[in-house]
């Protein structure tokens, strides 16, 4: 009887210990980039995603016929500021994202600081330099 109760308690502890820990509130999750506005142009990307989880960020570009292109980076989130930096190719950590690669994701240097203008469970609007990024939760 004691062994049965102990086994059940261990199972409960093991199952609850495996839960994902969301430390960034509504920011955590996968976001689809909808629009990037600057003073001179507006872009409407169709296949760019930013993902945030704990202290990591992933930028990905999805293609219809190929596997997605993914880069992992560091995430620092505090107050209304998000900093993404240090991008390396997913599964091939020795390959650092070049400036040309980052531009394909609408990031213009290796360490980008964003100010969050709006964040809820379905919309993220943030700005960096003279650009404004609108994303929706995917």
């Amino acid at each position: 009887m004691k062994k049965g109760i102990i086994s059940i308690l261990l199972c409960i502890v093991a199952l609850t210990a495996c839960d994902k820990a969301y430390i960034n509130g509504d920011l955590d999750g996968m976001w689809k980039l909808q629009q990037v506005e600057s003073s001179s142009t507006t872009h409407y990307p169709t296949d760019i995603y930013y993902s945030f989880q704990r202290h990591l960020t992933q930028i990905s570009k999805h293609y219809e016929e190929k596997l997605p292109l993914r880069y992992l980076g560091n995430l620092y989130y505090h107050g209304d500021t998000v900093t993404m930096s240090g991008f390396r190719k997913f599964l091939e950590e020795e390959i650092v994202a070049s400036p040309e690669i980052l531009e394909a994701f609408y990031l213009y240097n290796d360490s980008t600081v964003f100010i969050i203008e709006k964040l809820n469970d379905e919309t993220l609007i943030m700005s960096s330099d003279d650009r404004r990024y609108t994303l929706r939760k995917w």
Side-chain angles (χ1 to χ4, degrees):
M1 178 77 167
K2 269 186 167 180
K3 287 183 182 182
I5 292 173
I6 292 173
S7 295
I8 290 171
L9 289 175
L10 287 174
C11 287
I12 290 171
V13 169
L15 290 174
T16 57
C18 294
D19 286 344
K20 293 180 183 177
Y22 295 104
I23 64 170
N24 301 316
D26 285 337
L27 182 67
D28 277 344
M30 185 175 204
W31 296 87
K32 185 176 190 316
L33 185 59
Q34 299 287 302
Q35 181 175 307
V36 180
E37 302 170 76
S38 70
S39 57
S40 59
T41 60
T42 301
H43 297 277
Y44 300 94
T46 59
D47 55 359
I48 304 288
Y49 297 85
Y50 294 175
S51 298
F52 307 106
Q53 182 69 40
R54 299 192 53 79
H55 301 291
L56 290 174
T57 184
Q58 175 181 279
I59 52 176
S60 57
K61 187 170 181 129
H62 294 246
Y63 301 97
E64 289 181 21
E65 298 175 10
K66 298 186 215 172
L67 292 174
L69 177 63
R70 295 182 176 141
Y71 286 85
L72 292 177
N74 300 310
L75 171 67
Y76 177 74
Y77 176 49
H78 183 73
D80 64 349
T81 304
V82 171
T83 304
M84 300 186 318
S85 64
F87 288 98
R88 297 183 180 275
K89 192 163 185 184
F90 184 68
L91 299 178
E92 299 173 25
E93 289 188 19
E94 68 277 357
I95 300 176
V96 176
S98 68
E100 295 80 21
I101 292 290
L102 292 174
E103 282 184 30
F105 294 99
Y106 298 92
L107 300 174
Y108 298 94
N109 58 52
D110 185 53
S111 182
T112 304
V113 178
F114 295 96
I115 303 299
I116 295 178
E117 297 176 14
K118 179 180 181 179
L119 173 61
N120 59 38
D121 61 347
E122 57 186 46
T123 303
L124 171 60
I125 300 174
M126 56 188 185
S127 58
S128 179
D129 298 325
D130 69 337
R131 293 176 191 85
R132 189 169 190 235
Y133 298 71
T134 302
L135 302 97
R136 75 175 165 87
K137 192 73 137 235
W138 189 252

